[in-house]
Amino acid sequence: MGYLATYATEQGFNVGVFDAEAHGLAVDATIERVNSLSPRWAGFNLLAPTYQISARIAAHLDPSIKIILGGHQAKAMPAEILTDPRMFRCEALVLGEGETRVPELLHDHRSRVELPGVMWLDPVTRNPVTGGLPGTQAHLSPDINSLPFIDRRFLAQDPHYDRGRWEANMVGARGCPYNCSFCGTAVSANPDITIRTRNPENILAEMHQLRDSGVTAFRFVDDLFLGARRVIDQMMAAFTTEDIGKWAVWDATGRINVLHRASDETLDTLANNGLREVALGIESGSERMLELIDKRINPQMTRTVVRRLTERGINVKGYFILGFPTETCAEIDSTVRLIHTLWDLTEPLPGQFRASVFEYRPYPGTPDWHRLMATGRYTAQQLLDYSAVDLTETGVDASMRARDEFNFSVNLPLANAPLDYIRTQLVALAHEQHARTASAA
């Protein structure tokens, strides 16, 4: 949303980003606030777990406000969303990256006929239709090196102060070449996206701009910064030339299979250039589960990569999922054992390992979603019935508050292991991680 707002502002439009969650506003207060501003347009970034909230807000906006939709859920289920009565004022549903298309729509929504990947509901037939003229496909993959740096006035909590530094999020690439079966960014779920990375010079220019405002910590939130050898080599050559490690620290997402093949020299270079923490999608300690979700790793690779990183003082955050479809209690136990092994392995090392564990939930458009629907045992409505899960007896638990992920579930027995067993293990791991973090502070 910040990139869309930045680009539209540069095209002369008066734009704002309203992050109701960051401001702690309830749904009714959000509706009241948007209506009081009387914008010509209201745009929504639709996500599966929060779609019902977005639809409720859209249904209660002033009739004079046009609606534009985008996001993962919009791409995964466009026809269902356009025919949702609560979205009846939607004039454009934008599939994929929208920087160059949104300003065209803001100028005149009838341009949707010419723009690729823009859908709406035909007023006569009441069927979804898609625009696009020959020669307009460039809109689907804007040149990310020519886009303006995001205007952080549109971001409610970025930069933010953490651990003695001002920290900002960065996006170094778009798209992911992998096909993890549970992930909304899986390549098979995003055939419209061309995978591309920003030039090192472009990234460094934004980092230096942020440094001028006091930022010295960065978090690269895209999938490719440490997920492709070519990108690592190019970026580290540029970071070394600019002496980034002398004034900055940074975190990034990595791929275990890529880092497993990295030389000692490459890992030393990452550490010397200020790499503070790597986030790794480990997901499971079961080889069957890892193969099923197309992760392209095994537990031994994970142990090796975590050890090599933490030996160099680079922290590792591991993401895990409990309750994959068909997963057994024994396979969940193997994940629990792997987490404990990684805790014990890194305890004497300069870098530390922390685990972030959450319950499996299906997302529309992913390989898992198609697999589950193909069984004939579930309806889309069942798989979309996300609800909050209280994992504590009293509802107040410091270890739960410290979790990065919001606890929600579709409450279906997708795994062979019972839901109670999954949640018992999840709570135990969260408590243990909280205790370890507190003792290290």
Side-chain angles (χ1 to χ4, degrees), residues 203-247:
I203 291 175
L204 288 168
E206 185 174 10
M207 293 176 71
H208 285 300
Q209 182 186 84
L210 288 164
R211 183 188 185 187
D212 290 341
S213 61
V215 174
T216 60
F218 304 88
R219 183 180 299 273
F220 291 92
V221 297
D222 55 273
D223 297 293
L224 277 183
F225 202 78
L226 296 178
R229 177 60 187 271
R230 174 184 58 83
V231 177
I232 293 174
D233 290 345
Q234 290 178 349
M235 288 308 308
M236 288 309 98
F239 274 36
T240 299
T241 299
E242 295 281 332
D243 289 327
I244 296 298
K246 292 184 178 179
W247 62 270

Side-chain angles (χ1 to χ4, degrees), residues 318-345:
Y319 287 99
F320 298 86
I321 297 173
L322 302 183
F324 283 111
T326 76
E327 188 171 28
T328 66
C329 291
E331 288 168 329
I332 289 174
D333 292 345
S334 67
T335 299
V336 173
R337 286 195 299 272
L338 177 60
I339 293 171
H340 280 273
T341 295
L342 296 174
W343 277 332
D344 295 341
L345 174 70

Side-chain angles (χ1 to χ4, degrees), residues 122-329:
D122 185 279
V124 177
T125 67
R126 308 307 296 169
N127 292 320
V129 293
T130 306
L133 294 178
T136 61
Q137 295 302 302
H139 282 291
L140 300 177
S141 300
D143 178 5
I144 57 175
N145 288 301
S146 65
L147 292 176
F149 299 152
I150 191 168
D151 187 338
R152 293 175 191 269
R153 292 175 297 177
F154 292 124
L155 307 180
Q157 299 171 330
D158 191 323
H160 66 278
Y161 197 72
D162 183 42
R163 289 175 283 181
R165 293 175 179 265
W166 283 101
E167 180 174 317
N169 291 324
M170 297 273 293
V171 176
R174 295 192 180 182
C176 178
Y178 296 98
N179 203 41
C180 301
S181 66
F182 58 88
C183 184
T185 62
V187 65
S188 64
N190 298 278
D192 58 304
I193 292 183
T194 301
I195 298 168
R196 57 216 193 276
T197 58
R198 292 169 62 184
N199 294 333
E201 296 77 15
N202 186 262
I203 291 175
L204 288 168
E206 185 174 10
M207 293 176 71
H208 285 300
Q209 182 186 84
L210 288 164
R211 183 188 185 187
D212 290 341
S213 61
V215 174
T216 60
F218 304 88
R219 183 180 299 273
F220 291 92
V221 297
D222 55 273
D223 297 293
L224 277 183
F225 202 78
L226 296 178
R229 177 60 187 271
R230 174 184 58 83
V231 177
I232 293 174
D233 290 345
Q234 290 178 349
M235 288 308 308
M236 288 309 98
F239 274 36
T240 299
T241 299
E242 295 281 332
D243 289 327
I244 296 298
K246 292 184 178 179
W247 62 270
V249 296
W250 50 280
D251 307 333
T253 300
R255 290 285 308 194
I256 291 171
N257 55 324
V258 173
L259 293 172
H260 186 255
R261 296 191 298 267
S263 66
D264 287 343
E265 181 182 3
T266 294
L267 298 185
D268 290 340
T269 300
L270 290 170
N272 293 336
N273 277 313
L275 178 55
R276 179 177 58 180
E277 182 175 76
V278 179
L280 298 175
I282 300 171
E283 319 307 354
S284 178
S286 160
E287 293 206 25
R288 184 181 79 89
M289 285 294 103
L290 291 170
E291 183 175 353
L292 182 67
I293 64 176
D294 197 15
K295 198 64 190 177
R296 306 186 191 182
I297 62 172
N298 60 54
Q300 181 55 47
M301 290 169 63
T302 295
R303 289 189 288 268
T304 299
V305 168
V306 170
R307 175 185 56 77
R308 294 178 70 207
L309 290 170
T310 53
E311 282 176 342
R312 291 165 168 81
I314 300 170
N315 297 321
V316 175
K317 180 179 183 181
Y319 287 99
F320 298 86
I321 297 173
L322 302 183
F324 283 111
T326 76
E327 188 171 28
T328 66
C329 291

